[in-house]
Amino acid sequence: MQEVSVLNTPPAKRRPVRTILAPFDAGSAKAALLREYRRGGQSFFVVPRIDDIGTVFRQLGRLVPQLLVKIAHGEMKARELDEIVVRFAAGEGDILLATDIIESGLDIPQANTILVWRADRFGLDSSTSFEGA
């Protein structure tokens, strides 16, 4: 049997979660990523398929060229994937562009912003999808 911890109150200085559901807008995405960067945090950018990574990577390069994007997905060798995630958690990189592998329990307290590309492919309503050019 494993120990179970229950958190009945949020951590001190915890800000409330804000969720914004909207079609993809490059200006809004840029603003969200830069806001997180300026406050000293990091962001997740989640895509549904590995094939989407190249497209999103290029778009991020145009939107926020000053931010360092790290890539993580399930077809990477375990050692390489682990190294990228550990380095990102240690503060190396501003955006982790990844497939849904991040749902497996990454705990990166400084990553407080998440953008989802093509949310409809995750079973979310297509009207909330982040779609890009």
Side-chain angles (χ1 to χ4, degrees):
M1 181 173 274
Q2 296 180 336
E3 286 186 39
V4 175
S5 296
V6 177
L7 298 175
N8 293 321
T9 58
K13 299 182 183 180
R14 173 74 178 191
R15 292 182 177 185
V17 173
R18 277 188 329 166
T19 302
I20 300 169
L21 302 173
F24 183 80
D25 173 68
S28 296
K30 179 179 181 175
L33 294 167
L34 289 175
R35 181 175 36 254
E36 186 64 39
Y37 173 75
R38 283 194 290 277
R39 69 172 217 70
Q42 295 170 294
S43 299
F44 292 118
F45 202 117
V46 182
V47 298
R49 302 174 315 164
I50 294 170
D51 292 342
D52 298 322
I53 288 177
T55 299
V56 173
F57 182 78
R58 287 186 295 279
Q59 186 162 11
L60 289 171
R62 288 189 300 270
L63 285 176
V64 286
Q66 65 272 49
L67 302 186
L68 179 59
V69 179
K70 296 292 187 175
I71 295 174
H73 58 77
E75 288 185 5
M76 299 174 98
K77 293 181 180 176
R79 186 180 197 130
E80 178 185 13
L81 179 60
D82 186 55
E83 185 175 319
I84 288 169
V85 171
V86 167
R87 286 184 172 187
F88 186 76
E92 184 179 304
D94 304 305
I95 303 168
L96 183 63
L97 173 56
T99 55
D100 61 354
I101 62 165
I102 67 163
E103 74 180 356
S104 63
L106 293 183
D107 183 18
I108 304 176
Q110 64 272 22
N112 293 292
T113 296
I114 184 169
L115 299 177
V116 180
W117 180 264
R118 293 297 311 260
D120 59 312
R121 292 190 178 163
F122 289 103
L124 302 173
D125 182 316
S126 63
S127 67
T128 63
S129 175
F130 286 90
E131 296 182 8

